[in-house]
Structures are given as structure tokens and as C-alpha cells.
Amino acid sequence: MADNARAKRLADLIREVVAEKLHRGIKDPRLGTHVTVTDTRVTGDLREATVFYTVYGDEEDRAAAAAGLESAKGVLRSAVGAAAGVKHTPSLTFVADALPENAKTIDDLLARAKASDEEVRKASSGADYAGGADPYRKPAEDEENDADGADGTDEATGVAGSAKDAKQQDGDA
């Protein structure tokens, strides 16, 4: 089994050779300038290579490009073998890359989230706070409440009135 660095170098070489051959060496009108090689992966034993590609165009162009790549597979493998100089030239498998469709799905989701955020922002633009503009008690308010004894605590001991009464009853008994 080869190391990962060697597999990575071979994958990079295959990507470059296939892209160059598709651009200049293959005369198939189905391929032309519509096919872009996006990535290449090689197995650990360097026997199989997967070439990911995208096609600029509609579904008909994608089907024609897939057929063109399958028919040019032997020529492309020979070009890879001549450039790589390895004992066994990897067999090539062409897979349409799902990256453009995934990117479109993500863009649609982001547009939906932006529209939803805009609706929430519009709905909240005229709304008031539930507890007033500042729902937190301020130290000045606490001092006023303590002086009035409004919360039922004894200012000297800080004990609530009902707890103070309970202590006195325990002491009497």
C-alpha cells in the first residue's frame, strides 16, 4: 500500500493530465470546453482513480459529456500512464460532481433565511419591551424599597417579617 503523499501526488497529476487532454487532445464535440475537472481521488493501492467533473450547461449537456468521457476513458488512461510512469496505470472512473447543486441549495437556504430575518425585523420594528424600556431594578429603587420596608424585611437584621416572628415564637417556647 502506498503512502498518502504518493496517492495525493498521483491524484494531482491525473487531474492535470486529464484536464489538459480534455482541453487540447480530445476532439469529441460532446466534451469541448463544457467539462471542468474539479477533483481527483486515488485509492491507497494506486489502482483506481475517481475523477470528479462539472459540466456547464443543462441536463442534456451533462448526459452528452458523461457519454463522451466514457468513450474517451481509454485515451485518457493512456495519457495518464505515459505521464505518471507508474507500474500499473490506475483505472479511471468519472463521476459528476454534486458541488454546483449543493451550492445552489445552500444559496436558496440562505435567501430563505434572509427573507425570514427581514420579516422578523419588520414585525419587531414598532414593538415595545415587555417589562418597559429597562426591566432591571436599579440600586436607587432598592434603597427606596428598603427604607419603606415594603418588602417586609427588618432593616437591622435583614430577616423577613414572617421568619423573624417564627424565631420569636421558638424562643418563647
Side-chain angles (χ1 to χ4, degrees), residues 121-142:
R121 191 176 59 79
K122 284 181 182 178
S124 67
S125 64
D128 290 332
Y129 294 103
D134 189 11
Y136 300 105
R137 291 178 26 180
K138 304 223 180 332
E141 293 173 3
D142 290 341

Side-chain angles (χ1 to χ4, degrees), residues 5 51 65 70 109 112 145 157 162:
V51 179
E70 281 300 314
L109 290 173
R112 240 188 308 161
N145 286 341
T157 61
S162 60

Side-chain angles (χ1 to χ4, degrees), residues 2-138:
D3 61 349
N4 288 337
R6 185 172 179 197
K8 176 75 172 133
R9 283 193 312 268
L10 183 60
D12 290 342
L13 178 70
I14 290 171
R15 185 183 71 237
E16 291 173 10
V17 168
V18 168
E20 183 68 27
K21 193 72 170 167
L22 285 175
H23 185 65
R24 295 210 172 123
I26 306 276
K27 302 296 183 202
D28 193 341
R30 298 177 287 187
L31 299 175
T33 58
H34 299 295
V35 178
T36 303
V37 177
T38 57
D39 192 19
T40 306
R41 296 188 186 143
V42 178
T43 58
D45 61 356
L46 307 179
R47 296 272 180 175
E48 298 176 16
T50 305
V51 179
F52 294 93
Y53 67 95
T54 59
V55 178
Y56 183 73
D58 58 358
E59 197 62 38
E60 184 178 308
D61 291 336
R62 289 185 189 113
L69 286 170
E70 281 300 314
S71 69
K73 187 183 284 191
V75 174
L76 294 171
R77 186 174 180 205
S78 298
V80 167
V86 292
K87 183 176 181 180
H88 177 77
T89 303
S91 61
L92 301 177
T93 305
F94 292 97
V95 176
D97 198 355
L99 185 69
E101 289 83 16
N102 291 343
K104 183 172 176 15
T105 302
I106 290 172
D107 286 343
D108 292 343
L109 290 173
L110 289 174
R112 240 188 308 161
K114 184 178 179 182
S116 175
D117 288 348
E118 185 66 27
E119 288 176 15
V120 169
R121 191 176 59 79
K122 284 181 182 178
S124 67
S125 64
D128 290 332
Y129 294 103
D134 189 11
Y136 300 105
R137 291 178 26 180
K138 304 223 180 332

